[in-house]
Amino acid sequence: MIRRNLSGSLAGSRRRRSLGLVAGAALIALAASGCKSVVHAGAAATIGDHRISVADLRTATDDLYAGPGALSFTRAQVQQYVLNAKIRDVLFDRVAADLGVSPPPDSIVREQVAELEQQLGGEAALIARGAQIQPPDGPVLLSHATIDGYFRQYLEQQAITAALVRKMPPSDDVLQAQYQQDIANYQSEDSDFILVKTEALAAQIKGQLDADPSKFAALAKQYSTDASTKVNGGAAGNQPRGSFPTDLEDPIFAAKDGDIIGPLKTQLGYFVVKINKITNIPFARAKADILQKIESGEDPAYGTILLAHEVAQISKTLDVHVNARFGSWSAKTASVGADLSALSTPAQTGPTTPADSSAPSGTTTTP
């Protein structure tokens, strides 16, 4: 049976998905001002009254650049990634403070990192996996010295998002839209199939089954051209909604348990289908589950919107200024950007991978 290709989660469980390397709110629009005021000497950037010193930026870049995850990036790229991350952290910490959200304990951070390392095959594998993430989410550059700090901030962001969702819960319209998007979680069918090339043959088979439904398995083995189900007497097993083309699936979900329907014309041929069981969890029963997924970040869209709005409000009161030596703050992209080859960097040199659209940006992944 030709089915749609459905992709699963990296870790295969709700909890593990919540520990994924790609934060759901990575692309938030931090609508900060692009003011061109001069940054005080010795500062790489200022965010309100918070100062990121050149020395701190250099040390953080050294820590990250020493990690194997940064081997395919130039030092200028890593430095810009670090500066973006530091600006982002200040903005998120301000949101967390306003919401009364505290950073997670060190013990929780280490437990979560250890679990990910076990899943992926060790610290080196986790670091390598982060660097392999492609845009639009962008790479997550990690080293032994920075890995715990990254996940501390990532878990804090999850707590911030959950707090925002509790403060401003989604409307029924939002939940209904999420229900439709995740319909495969709430509707499934268990059916048996016979696929043939002509409508006439399908109609003949349907007539025999109307007279004696017990012949289904024998007729499937005799006539069906679908090799994957033919050997099982047409049995396809339980499948979530979205597994089959709509011209086959819609009539199936419109039927009732025990029905035999067809001929159903599709691009593959003509189907005769025996409906064993239709499972349909209605929206009213699914609401609590959908809300829990939104709060946990498993369904991140609504939480991402709330987070973007909250950070935008903070950004209106905190001017972001970046030392031209390290780039310029862009309100449009909500990141530090510039021609990396023209930036001043510490004397240490590294790999010479050209800067391009996949260069690391601290605002593309949030801890």
Side-chain angles (χ1 to χ4, degrees):
M1 180 64 62
I2 299 177
R3 305 186 181 107
R4 295 181 183 173
N5 184 19
L6 302 177
S7 61
S9 66
L10 169 68
S13 71
R14 180 175 302 170
R15 185 182 182 205
R16 290 177 180 175
R17 277 195 295 271
S18 72
L19 300 176
L21 286 172
V22 185
L27 300 176
I28 61 170
L30 308 181
S33 168
C35 298
K36 297 182 179 180
S37 60
V38 177
V39 178
H40 293 296
T46 57
I47 308 95
D49 58 2
H50 186 93
R51 178 176 178 273
I52 299 172
S53 72
V54 172
D56 285 346
L57 176 62
R58 182 174 300 175
T59 299
T61 301
D62 289 343
D63 287 341
L64 193 56
Y65 195 63
L71 290 179
S72 61
F73 301 98
T74 66
R75 185 177 181 83
Q77 285 176 307
V78 175
Q79 179 176 259
Q80 193 171 97
Y81 177 93
V82 170
L83 184 55
N84 267 307
K86 284 183 169 293
I87 293 172
R88 172 204 63 210
D89 289 348
V90 174
L91 295 170
F92 273 77
D93 285 348
R94 175 67 176 270
V95 175
D98 289 350
L99 292 169
V101 173
S102 300
D106 290 347
S107 59
I108 298 297
V109 175
R110 182 91 302 262
E111 176 187 335
Q112 307 292 36
V113 171
E115 182 177 339
L116 272 175
E117 289 174 349
Q118 183 178 14
Q119 292 171 21
L120 296 175
E123 181 183 90
L126 175 57
I127 290 172
R129 179 57 184 266
Q132 292 167 2
I133 295 173
Q134 297 299 315
D137 301 303
V140 176
L141 301 187
L142 301 170
S143 70
H144 176 75
T146 65
I147 194 168
D148 282 10
Y150 172 85
F151 281 99
R152 180 176 294 104
Q153 290 295 326
Y154 173 62
L155 293 172
E156 182 180 23
Q157 180 201 304
Q158 287 187 309
I160 291 170
T161 302
L164 287 171
V165 173
R166 289 192 296 269
K167 180 180 178 182
M168 294 173 279
S171 66
D172 273 6
D173 287 345
V174 171
L175 295 175
Q176 180 71 254
Q178 193 67 51
Y179 173 78
Q180 293 299 329
Q181 182 176 325
D182 297 340
I183 196 66
N185 295 330
Y186 305 109
Q187 294 185 1
S188 63
E189 55 83 18
D190 182 350
S191 300
D192 298 343
F193 298 89
I194 297 175
L195 172 63
V196 294
K197 293 183 178 180
T198 68
E199 185 175 12
L201 179 55
Q204 177 187 330
I205 292 170
K206 174 63 162 54
Q208 293 184 56
L209 292 172
D210 287 342
D212 186 358
S214 67
K215 291 182 177 181
F216 195 98
L219 291 172
K221 291 178 180 180
Q222 180 179 357
Y223 291 109
S224 185
T225 62
D226 180 27
S228 64
T229 59
K230 179 176 183 175
V231 294
N232 300 320
N238 194 71
Q239 302 293 335
R241 184 149 199 168
S243 298
F244 303 107
T246 55
D247 50 3
L248 174 62
E249 194 169 71
D250 286 350
I252 290 175
F253 279 94
K256 295 179 290 188
D257 294 357
D259 286 353
I260 296 178
I261 59 175
L264 301 176
K265 183 181 179 180
T266 73
Q267 291 183 343
L268 303 175
Y270 293 85
F271 281 89
V272 178
V273 183
K274 181 177 70 172
I275 312 298
N276 298 318
K277 183 175 179 58
I278 299 293
T279 299
N280 183 12
I281 302 174
F283 171 66
R285 285 172 50 202
K287 278 178 61 174
D289 180 66
I290 297 168
L291 182 59
Q292 189 279 327
K293 288 179 179 178
I294 289 174
E295 287 185 358
S296 70
E298 186 176 344
D299 285 332
Y302 180 73
T304 299
I305 292 171
L306 289 185
L307 191 60
H309 176 77
E310 196 72 13
V311 174
Q313 296 307 307
I314 295 296
S315 299
K316 289 178 180 178
T317 61
L318 297 179
D319 289 332
V320 179
H321 305 297
V322 174
N323 188 324
R325 175 186 174 189
F326 302 105
S328 58
W329 178 255
S330 168
K332 182 177 180 180
T333 63
S335 64
V336 177
D339 178 2
L340 289 168
S341 64
L343 298 181
S344 172
T345 63
Q348 181 180 351
T349 59
T352 56
T353 302
D356 58 24
S357 61
S358 64
S361 170
T363 57
T364 61
T365 52
T366 54

